[in-house]
């Protein structure tokens, strides 16, 4: 690990000002990923600006959604009664990730900005375009069982590893950013870039821009949202595939649906094509199959991760069937 | 608790439990009375004697010792598998704060190549690669530089700043290519690489029922909870140089003799201690890090601590080799085996002596007239493979016991019945009688407790929601060994006894069990026994490996007890109640010596010491020659039962129940034994379902050198594990016990694979059984 300066920020304005004044400064949340990367010499910031004590509250927004401070820990967010009631799939997603110790440290913003776990990204002896653009990608012909089949390029196959972010893109989360030019709000789906030729550029954040909050809009059907994570090891493993889903019926027709996938995309993958193929259609097996096939049509499987096409197909159909059964039950109950 | 009726070997006359052990290792000898099951202290669940120290942080591990003025070491590892170092730019590192030394092949002192375990009688090294003596690189991950600095952080930062340029040469790093050039090794664990009996190939061709399949197992890496570490100092008193090492070692004596070779010293100049070891599993032997740390400490003339990072363990310490195995079974319609072929290839190097011995279990399990076993090796540019819990048996039983399951299905037989049908009367290869084999009893008792009879023979018959449920079983086995060289010292004083053996406590409960055994043997309360171990200056040499340590210590303490009794009898006064008795008439009881069968003729140790005018009496003795295996075939056995759920949606496998029923002779401590069995079985779950080293075939580099990517089971992967045992003493071993350290991992891979097949009808012959193989 390289020596670095450390500054504990007292407010977001001050943190941003510090970042503007210093080359190679990085914001520090819980440190559960950045510090690891510093130990591995993948990251070598000259200064860490600790923002983990800022923005620690979860508040109800005027519209009835939730406004989550960037410094809220993963554990706090998962345990929040409002989250568990209104967005249970998000709570489930967070609890599927990492370990209790890590969730106690990791922050919301840090979770969103965590970097891939690609083994070649982590090994300075390997070629990696994400570490060094133009250096090549050893994962293409190497170990890529955990890698993406959607949104990939010949430069990079790495997945975004977050579970929380997958649930949040399904919930249409919006990210509040603050930078030198003031505040802006973007959809979480717009935060991430696809790798293309420049897998080192992972988000649309500008140099000093700081995530200050995540806003979850009100979404009644999210009260029955779910998250399913698939992995060989029952805990403490990244997703080979994960599915965040929720469904609202209008009679036998799908009125609204949200579907997002983890473990298969280079970014938290909102399944827009599948959603479009579901909305307004009869809620049945044929629709579900057509929808996931529409989403996976663009998949570019490689040798080690080809199974994910079949896996995603089966798990998504199974999840949609379960959401359908729940929605029907709910309909009967009301 | 125990469903077995203890059976006593009627060939031998019963002796009281306090009597001195006879010559258990000879056909005309008598069993160790401690194994009889009559001694109240043997078998009970004594809690770990060091448990409180461990959980309160009072038990010092190798990286927790300190020397004044100590430096910290960090290693830099090669990123090529074969070639030369063109240059190492050390200038930046040398200029960094706190850096005292950067050692490379250009300034390392002359170091002789270490003697290799199995290659030399006093070798502890995992390989005989030269240690930083030239610009040659032999494997990807080889240490190319060592930095010493005032703090660990400074050493790490400097090691990371080194710039190394290499001239790459062609390397054999692809097992698929290497195996096409496989060779027969000179030997496998000292025996022939190929073993034939009858004509297995001809018998197979004509057999009515045949299974012929290929099974593959991946590389595994060691992940003991305590990464390898040492703290050491050189001393020179003007006349003599000595080297003092606190190491994490499972072979303190072999470490001394090997390091003496490397540094050109007399073994008496090196002292290695290892009071606590956080798991060894075959890996805590001698690798380059100890040699490099000692060399650097010498150059810097200061003490050094070197603690490998988790990645460092993957780069410097070998693991289990990958294998590709063929098992061909031929049987008649009754299930009687007509032919058994078990052959294959394992990755290896030209620099070590351990062809992964995957046919070991096959040598003793089934009675078959036509047998062919062969191990070949594929030479690769890699860190030498090494011992890892049940080397051979762990992966060999996966292949063999999967094939048995396939044959059972082909025959329409219950898998347990097929195994029972082929129980041998004598050792199938040597023809020797078994010293004690009660596999049938263990299997049927396990089956009953597990509820095996509720298994549906047809795969896919049972489901709960999306989960398909299946049951499987497999046989476990591991050989008994008692290596030569063990000795013990017993020092008797008024307070009790100190028992000293150069043995090891790596978490398995040695200190506890040996305290218990010594108390029983000497007729003393457990609290008055001080068991000392983990110190190369102690008598004899005992390796904590091959599941042999308990027997090896037992044999040494038996000899020392007899020497102690002889010493006490020699000092008797003429009017002593014991006068005229020989050691064979004596038993140790109630903190003293008594005549067997006579309650009156007794003298306490305290009185014996007083009468002898001694504060203490100390004796040392060597264990009897390890002759028993030339008279009997000696193995432990067991049957593993497993119930799994396989998701038909995702292919995920979750183990729901696991039971091991073992036949390992006398169990000395029910509590620590249960933990040993469970630990082995959990490691077996890892082998079955997730453990796999990502060895990049292009670069020879291990790509998952961390516990985040190299998966071992976590709490949620482990169901309640039931363990049980026959507790039938083996009449030909010390205490009637056979080792239990390794057998737990054997059979588990196949039991899981067989259960997966029973659940969903998919036969996975390639470990680990990951979900993509079940979609």
């Amino acid at each position: 690990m390289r020596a670095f300066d450390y500054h504990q920020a007292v407010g977001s304005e001050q943190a941003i000002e510090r970042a503007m004044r210093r080359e190679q400064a990085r914001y520090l949340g819980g440190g559960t990923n950045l510090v690891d990367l510093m130990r591995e010499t993948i990251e070598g910031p000259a200064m860490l600006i600790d923002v983990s004590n800022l923005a620690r509250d979860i508040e109800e927004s005027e519209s009835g959604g939730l406004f989550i401070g960037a410094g809220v820990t993963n554990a706090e967010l998962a345990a929040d009664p409002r989250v568990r009631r209104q967005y249970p799939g998000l709570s489930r997603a967070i609890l599927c990730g990492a370990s209790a110790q890590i969730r106690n440290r990791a922050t919301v913003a840090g979770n969103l900005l965590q970097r891939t776990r690609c083994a070649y990204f982590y090994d300075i002896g390997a070629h990696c375009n994400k570490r060094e653009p133009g250096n090549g990608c050893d994962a293409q012909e190497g170990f890529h069982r955990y890698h993406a089949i959607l949104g990939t390029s010949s430069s990079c196959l790495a997945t975004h590893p977050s579970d929380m972010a997958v649930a949040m893109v399904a919930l249409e989360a919006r990210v509040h950013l603050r930078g030198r030019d003031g505040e802006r709000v973007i959809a979480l789906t717009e935060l991430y870039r696809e790798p293309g030729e420049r897998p080192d550029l992972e988000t649309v954040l500008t140099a000093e821009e700081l995530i200050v909050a995540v806003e979850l809009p009100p979404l009644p059907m999210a009260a029955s949202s779910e998250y399913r994570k698939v992995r060989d090891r029952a805990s403490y493993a990244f997703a080979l595939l994960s599915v965040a889903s929720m469904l609202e019926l209008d009679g036998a027709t799908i009125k609204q649906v949200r579907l997002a996938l983890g473990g298969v995309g280079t970014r938290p993958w909102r399944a827009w094509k599948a959603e479009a193929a579901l909305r307004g259609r009869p809620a049945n097996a044929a629709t579900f199959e057509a929808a996931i096939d529409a989403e996976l049509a663009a998949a570019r499987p490689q040798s080690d991760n080809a199974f994910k096409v079949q896996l995603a197909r089966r798990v998504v159909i199974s999840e949609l069937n379960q959401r359908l059964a729940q929605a029907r039950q709910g309909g009967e109950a009301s | 608790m125990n469903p077995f009726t203890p059976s006593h070997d009627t060939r031998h006359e019963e002796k009281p439990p306090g009597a001195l052990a006879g010559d258990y290792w000879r056909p005309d000898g008598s069993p160790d009375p401690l194994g009889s099951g009559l001694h109240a202290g043997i078998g009970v669940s004594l809690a770990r004697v060091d448990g409180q120290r461990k959980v309160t942080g009072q038990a010092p591990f190798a990286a927790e010792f300190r020397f004044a003025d100590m430096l910290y070491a960090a290693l830099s590892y090669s990123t090529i598998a074969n070639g030369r170092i063109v240059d190492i730019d050390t200038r930046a590192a040398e200029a960094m704060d706190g850096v005292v030394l950067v050692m490379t092949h250009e300034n390392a002192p002359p170091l002789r190549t270490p003697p290799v375990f199995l290659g030399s009688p006093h070798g502890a090294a995992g390989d005989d690669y030269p240690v930083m003596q030239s610009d040659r690189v032999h494997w990807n991950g080889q240490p190319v530089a060592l930095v010493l600095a005032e703090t660990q952080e400074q050493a790490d930062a400097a090691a990371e700043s080194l710039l190394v340029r290499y001239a790459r040469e062609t390397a054999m790093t692809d097992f698929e290519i290497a195996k096409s050039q496989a060779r027969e090794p000179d030997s496998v664990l000292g025996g022939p690489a190929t073993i034939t009996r009858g004509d297995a190939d001809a018998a197979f061709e004509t057999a009515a029922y045949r299974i012929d399949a290929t099974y593959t197992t991946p590389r595994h890496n060691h992940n003991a909870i305590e990464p390898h570490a040492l703290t050491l100092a050189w001393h020179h008193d003007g006349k003599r140089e000595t080297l003092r090492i606190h190491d994490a070692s499972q072979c303190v004596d072999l470490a001394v003799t090997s390091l003496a070779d490397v540094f050109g010293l007399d073994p008496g100049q090196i002292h290695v201690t290892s009071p606590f070891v956080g798991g060894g599993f075959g890996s805590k032997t001698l690798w380059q890090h100890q040699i490099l740390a000692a060399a650097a400490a010498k150059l810097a003339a200061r003490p050094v601590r070197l603690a490998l990072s988790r990645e460092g363990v993957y780069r410097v310490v070998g693991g289990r080799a990958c294998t590709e195995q063929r098992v061909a079974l031929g049987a008649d319609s009754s299930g009687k085996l007509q032919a058994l072929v078990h052959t294959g290839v394992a990755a290896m190097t030209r620099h070590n002596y351990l062809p992964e011995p995957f046919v070991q279990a096959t040598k003793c399990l089934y009675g078959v007239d036509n047998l062919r076993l062969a191990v070949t090796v594929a030479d690769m540019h890699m860190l030498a493979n090494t011992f890892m819990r049940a080397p051979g048996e762990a992966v060999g039983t996966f292949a063999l016991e999967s094939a048995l399951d396939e044959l059972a299905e082909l025959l329409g037989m219950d898998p347990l019945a097929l195994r029972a049908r082929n129980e041998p009367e004598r050792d199938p290869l040597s023809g020797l009688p078994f010293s004690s084999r009660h596999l049938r009893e263990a299997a049927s008792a396990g089956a009953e407790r597990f509820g095996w009879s509720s298994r549906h023979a047809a795969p896919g018959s049972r489901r709960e929601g999306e989960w398909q449920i299946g049951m499987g079983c497999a046989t476990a086995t591991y050989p008994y060994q008692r290596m030569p060289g063990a000795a013990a010292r017993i020092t008797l004083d008024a307070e009790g006894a100190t028992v000293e053996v150069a043995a090891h406590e790596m978490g398995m409960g040695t200190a506890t069990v040996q305290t218990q055994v010594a108390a029983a043997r000497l007729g003393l309360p457990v609290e008055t026994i001080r068991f000392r171990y983990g110190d190369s200056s102690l008598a004899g040499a005992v390796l904590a490996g091959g599941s042999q340590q308990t027997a090896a210590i037992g044999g040494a303490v038996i000899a020392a007890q007899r020497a102690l009794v002889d010493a006490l009898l020699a000092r008797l006064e003429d009017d002593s109640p014991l006068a005229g008795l020989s050691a064979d008439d004596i038993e140790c009881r109630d903190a003293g010596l008594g005549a067997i069968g006579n309650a009156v003729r007794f003298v306490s140790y305290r009185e014996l010491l007083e009468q002898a005018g001694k504060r203490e009496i100390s004796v040392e003795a060597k264990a009897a020659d390890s002759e028993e295996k030339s008279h009997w075939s000696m193995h432990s056995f067991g049957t593993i039962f497993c119930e799994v759920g396989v998701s038909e949606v995702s292919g995920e496998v979750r183990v729901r129940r696991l039971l091991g029923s073992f036949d390992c002779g006398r169990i000395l401590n029910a509590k620590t034994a249960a933990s040993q069995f469970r630990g082995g079985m959990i490691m077996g779950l890892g082998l079955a379902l997730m453990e796999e080293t990502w060895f990049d075939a292009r670069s020879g580099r291990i790509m998952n050198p961390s516990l985040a990517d190299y998966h071992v089971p976590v709490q949620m992967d482990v169901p309640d594990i039931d363990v049980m045992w026959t507790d039938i003493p083996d009449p030909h071993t010390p205490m009637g016990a056979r080792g239990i350290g390794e057998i737990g991992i054997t059979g588990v891979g196949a039991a899981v694979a067989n259960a997966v097949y029973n659940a969903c009808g998919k036969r996975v012959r390639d470990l680990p059984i990951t979900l993509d193989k079940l979609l």
Side-chain angles (χ1 to χ4, degrees), chain B residues 651-665:
Chain B
E652 287 166 297
V653 179
R654 297 292 180 255
V655 176
R656 296 154 55 103
R657 294 195 295 136
L658 192 62
L659 180 145
S661 180
F662 297 100
D663 175 47
C664 299

Side-chain angles (χ1 to χ4, degrees), chain B residues 545-593:
Chain B
S547 295
Q548 69 100 34
Q549 189 173 249
T550 301
I553 300 172
V557 173
I558 284 172
Q561 181 203 25
R562 183 166 287 268
L564 176 69
V565 171
D566 283 340
L568 291 170
L569 292 180
R571 290 177 169 84
L572 286 182
E573 292 169 4
D574 293 344
D575 60 349
S576 168
L578 300 176
L581 295 179
S582 78
D584 287 326
D585 308 318
I586 291 289
E587 61 178 336
C588 294
R589 66 178 191 232
D590 307 326
L593 301 184

Side-chain angles (χ1 to χ4, degrees), chain B residues 454-501:
Chain B
S454 69
R455 172 182 177 267
H456 301 271
S461 304
R462 209 180 132 199
R463 68 172 56 228
E464 291 174 18
E466 70 176 58
W467 294 90
Q468 300 173 287
I469 316 297
M471 288 187 195
C473 72
T475 299
T477 187
Y478 195 80
Y480 163 86
Q481 294 174 82
R482 186 168 67 86
M483 296 173 193
R489 171 171 290 278
I490 300 177
T491 303
L492 184 71
D493 60 31
E495 309 305 319
T498 303
V499 178
E500 297 171 306
V501 186

Side-chain angles (χ1 to χ4, degrees), chain B residues 392-412:
Chain B
E393 291 85 357
V395 292
T397 53
F398 165 66
L400 177 65
E401 293 297 295
S402 291
L404 258 290
D405 201 68
E406 299 196 45
L407 180 62
E409 189 185 41
L410 187 68
L411 287 158

Side-chain angles (χ1 to χ4, degrees), chain A residues 1 41 119-120 123 138 141-143 145-146 228 230-235 237 240 307 311 314 318, chain B residues 157 160 466 647-650 652 654 690 694-696 698 701 703 711-712 714 716-717 770-772 775:
Chain A
M1 187 188 276
T41 69
Y120 300 95
D123 185 354
D138 279 346
E141 312 258 306
F143 294 103
R145 188 167 174 265
Y146 282 86
R228 177 166 184 174
V230 176
R231 46 190 164 172
D232 297 309
R233 181 158 80 175
S235 177
L240 287 165
F307 72 95
L311 179 66
R314 288 160 68 154
S318 167
Chain B
E160 288 155 9
E466 70 176 58
S647 165
E648 69 174 349
V649 174
S650 66
E652 287 166 297
R654 297 292 180 255
M690 59 192 83
W694 299 345
F695 184 89
D696 196 309
R698 299 166 297 179
R701 189 160 180 84
M703 294 310 302
H711 284 181
V712 298
V714 296
M716 281 175 69
D717 295 297
T770 48
L771 62 90
D772 48 297
L775 286 174

Side-chain angles (χ1 to χ4, degrees), chain B residues 572-644:
Chain B
L572 286 182
E573 292 169 4
D574 293 344
D575 60 349
S576 168
L578 300 176
L581 295 179
S582 78
D584 287 326
D585 308 318
I586 291 289
E587 61 178 336
C588 294
R589 66 178 191 232
D590 307 326
L593 301 184
I596 291 173
N598 185 328
V600 181
R601 296 182 73 178
F602 173 84
V603 186
S604 72
Y605 291 136
R606 221 178 260 263
E607 289 169 288
L608 287 166
L609 287 167
E610 273 172 27
Q611 288 163 14
K614 298 268 189 189
R615 290 182 53 172
E616 61 173 46
I617 288 178
S618 190
V619 295
E620 188 177 304
K622 285 182 185 158
D625 289 345
S626 306
E627 199 185 300
E628 56 269 37
K629 282 182 79 172
S630 47
H631 303 301
W632 297 281
S633 176
M634 302 181 76
H635 305 267
S636 282
F637 301 97
T639 305
I640 307 289
F641 296 88
C642 176
E643 181 181 290
V644 301

Side-chain angles (χ1 to χ4, degrees), chain A residues 219-248:
Chain A
L219 192 59
M221 71 172 163
S224 56
S225 59
E226 274 289 350
Y227 188 79
R228 177 166 184 174
K229 182 171 179 177
V230 176
R231 46 190 164 172
D232 297 309
R233 181 158 80 175
S235 177
Y236 201 56
F238 290 100
L240 287 165
L241 168 76
S242 65
V243 179
S245 60
M246 60 205 89
L247 190 70
E248 188 181 340

